């Protein structure tokens, strides 16, 4: 079973967290500053362990990040989002 298949089989399990805890290999993540959901889907399908959407160094708004999240998750990759500012109200909006 490939890594991508295991993500699709059980969407409620945090596979990225499990891989970090196992620490049996170095993990690779792709860092996205582009605001394209198509790029997020391509990056998610490229075989990285996760996709990181950078809201701090890109012109992403919440709707853009939402589309990128959906595209990356459909491709079977876990996603980490970096918010534009480290403020409680902003973090809540991205949750």
């Amino acid at each position: 079973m490939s890594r991508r298949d295991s993500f699709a089989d059980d969407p409620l399990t945090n596979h990225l967290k499990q891989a970090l805890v196992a620490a049996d290999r170095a993990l690779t993540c792709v860092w996205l500053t582009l605001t394209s959901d198509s790029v997020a889907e391509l990056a998610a399908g490229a075989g990285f362990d996760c996709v990181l959407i950078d809201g701090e160094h890109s012109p992403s708004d919440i709707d853009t990040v939402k589309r990128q999240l959906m595209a990356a998750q459909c491709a079977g990759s876990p996603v980490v989002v970096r918010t534009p500012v480290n403020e409680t109200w902003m973090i809540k909006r991205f949750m």
Side-chain angles (χ1 to χ4, degrees), residues 20-72:
L20 288 168
V21 170
D24 57 349
R25 64 183 177 86
L27 301 181
T28 57
C29 297
V30 61
W31 196 286
L32 297 181
T33 56
L34 299 172
T35 59
S36 168
D37 47 331
S38 298
V39 171
E41 185 176 5
L42 287 170
F48 293 96
D49 292 303
C50 76
V51 173
L52 191 141
I53 299 171
D54 188 356
E56 182 177 6
H57 297 105
S58 69
S60 296
D61 60 12
I62 290 180
D63 290 330
T64 303
V65 171
K66 182 179 176 181
R67 287 193 307 273
Q68 288 178 301
L69 278 167
M70 289 188 295

